[in-house]
Amino acid sequence: QAGRDAIMNKLSILAKDSYERSYPNLIKLQCIREIEDAASFLCDNDFSYNPGGMFDLANSTESEGWAWDVRLNLVSSFQRSPISDVRLALARLSGDKKLARDQLFTMGKRARKNGLLDLASTYFAQCSSVYDPSFAQSNEIRGDIQMQFAKLEYQSGHSGSALRILGVENIKGWGNLNESEVRSEAIKRFQNLLGQSIPGAEQLMLTDMAKRLLKSTQWIAEAGLQPVTEVMERFQVTNILSPKWEKCHFEFGKYIDSLLETRISGVAQHEGLSADEDDVRKYVFSEDKNCQNYLIMAMEQYLGALKVVDTHVYQVLPRLLSLWFEYTSVEREENATLRQKRPDGHETPMNISSDPTGFLLKKKNEANELFQRSMKSISVEIFYKAMPQLISRVCHPNTDTCYVVQTLLTRLLLKFPAQAMWALAWVRNSVDKTRSRTGHEIFKGAQKSLLARAESNKVHPRRKMILEKNEKILNASKYFVSFLVNIAKYSPKDERARSFKLGRWRCEVELSDFVPPIQSALTTPIDPMNCLDAFPRFRAFHSGVQIMSSKAKPKRVKFYVTPGGHTSSSDPGISSISSSEDVGELHFLLKNEQKGDLRKDARVQDLNNVINRLMAATTTKDKGKMQRRLSLRTFAVTCLSEDCGILEWVPNTESFRSLTTKAYNPQAAIYSKKRHGRRLANFGDPNLKKNYETCQNNYFKHGNLMKAARLFELHFLDNFPPLFYWWFVHHFQDAHAWYEARNNFTTSAAVWSAVGHVIGLGDRHSENLLIDTSNGSCVHVDFDCIFDKGLTLPKPEVIPFRLTPNMIDGFGPVGGALAM
């Protein structure tokens, strides 16, 4: 109690400063709590009858358990050592060898991953010395310790020693054995390595040998110690030992994929071509048998990984679909020009079939049949994560591929109708007649299957009701989407109008049956048979629609929302007032791009989600990345057609221009134009426009960049010094809130600048840059101008990203140089 009081006294002072400075004291409180838990257990129990009781309690996630692993995962990786040290001391004090060994093993792994190899070696040595034969998993632990010692040797640069520790550097001849003989050889090798026989633990031994074999094969392939045929044989043997191990299929597929890309590059280089060009890749694919065989093998392994579990789904599925779509679109006739450039008698490294056209057709059919056969064994939820990629190929040039894609999309719509209908909405409304017809066929196919299942005599009444309801939702979705499109395209007679009233809602289903197109509701598929109440539902449109003042005149619509599964007493569809049943409101932006394509906005959001996953996968090798908490703020963009869409409204945001207008510098004179930001943000000021065009003309017409910069400094920077710094001071009056908001602004602006530069993002004016007023982070909108489209404008955008003086001012006193 005295220790807790001392820590609380410090915490009461530090908590006023920042959470980061308080964190070490919170860790100490956690240590005291665990000491108290252990002391209570040790004093109240007789360990002579239950020596492993503390191990079971520490790993239990029940209400009375301590859940040590779960708690430790919630702690920052840089602050785990004190907790681990306390736990190890408690385990030794209790005499629980299993718990002590578990703690030593965990601490050793963490030390190894942090590069503390000597410390890790000490922990593993202590772990191996704590041997308890009565523990059922002792031999499994011994195998894991050997694996860790091998990894230590490999990290130290001693690959030969690492392979010898694993004991499977040489398995010649195993590839010629049948599956049962391979398993027998693996068990014998395992028993020789541990120096003892383990009756009844065949599966444990096979799993351990599979882990050793896979890791050693990865090291051998990385160092090029064995030829390709032997490496592939080792992967195949590993698959035999553990056929349902997803990681083995994934690593084998990656290895074959690397062989495929190496082969394409090698052939292209020999032919004097660039392997990065699509035509060259298709040319090599269409001619070389080795490439085609590699591709089929890679597809087999990737599909095998998806059949087991979706651990690497974001790496496997996009690559699998890309390989499949690319290969089945290859036609030899398209590559006739490149073949004609190859002189007769020219020696080529390609393995060309005697009937190249026939062989290509055979392999393409094999790829389609493989995918169609395998997708029946893969959970349909997995393919939901790749719906945009699948939808992009609904009109694939290969008829069989197109059929498989349509079948898969129909399955997705059948399984998740309320969610998948939003992703497929634009396909049905596409201006391309073939794509539109395909979209209608997908919806009709799903509706037909739902009705057929509902009419079955064996279906449960509740399930029948849900199936019939889902069919009605798909049927009514056409009306709902058309209703939204009409709002987006509506143009009032009075151009100055800033709002209008909605007409009547005429639909066969209630508005509450539709899932809102928000990011949280569309990201994860939810089975309607098991969970109907996962998301809030629409109750009614607000009768008034706001017309935004920007050039495209988007419409802001408001929905009243009720809890999921709630049945409204009255569902008018359109209402001017809220109801006592409502739990809130949802706002959306309906946009009609007359010259743009909203599908680009949707794909940029998909890219941003991928980038967020990459930045969230923090490793111990980059400790700073976790501290910076880098991410991109994303929102749902649902296309209703190529030029229309409904965008999730980002709450608590204002444009950078609006906030700059509100900002003021209290240190400037009261009537000085340097005091307020509204003069600089006034787009209608003729003097500002004239001075700005003068700066532009000096660069675009006369090519004098230095003079343009001097004029910009004279007319703008001297007269309107930056003052965005003061917006943070006035808006976040708490010191810690101000510091966090400024950091959020700096880091989010940096990430958006980097991503924008990579994808060639333009049109970054101050209306397309939003600021979250609750935490200071940046949110970018309107992604029509991508892939360096800004360079083709009448006045090209030559800057890589937007970094204005006011933005730099918001970064703080040191600007952008040290703010990160």
Side-chain angles (χ1 to χ4, degrees), residues 384 387 391 409-425 443 474 515 521-522:
Y384 183 88
M387 275 197 76
I391 292 172
L409 289 173
T410 304
R411 283 183 61 198
L412 285 164
L413 190 59
L414 178 64
K415 183 73 172 178
F416 314 108
Q419 295 171 289
M421 58 157 276
W422 289 112
L424 287 161
F443 273 86
L474 292 183
V515 170
L522 301 181

Side-chain angles (χ1 to χ4, degrees), residues 62 106-107 116 126 132 148 199 206 238 252 304 350 378 437 540 546 551 569 596 611 613 631 710 720 748 750 771 811:
E62 300 296 330
T106 303
M107 294 167 73
L116 306 174
Q126 293 180 29
D132 185 1
Q148 294 299 325
L206 291 175
T238 308
F252 193 8
M350 289 192 289
I378 300 173
R437 184 171 59 252
Q546 180 183 355
K551 184 178 179 181
S569 57
I611 293 172
R613 284 196 296 272
S631 65
R710 286 196 299 269
F720 307 101
S748 58
I771 307 296
F811 294 160

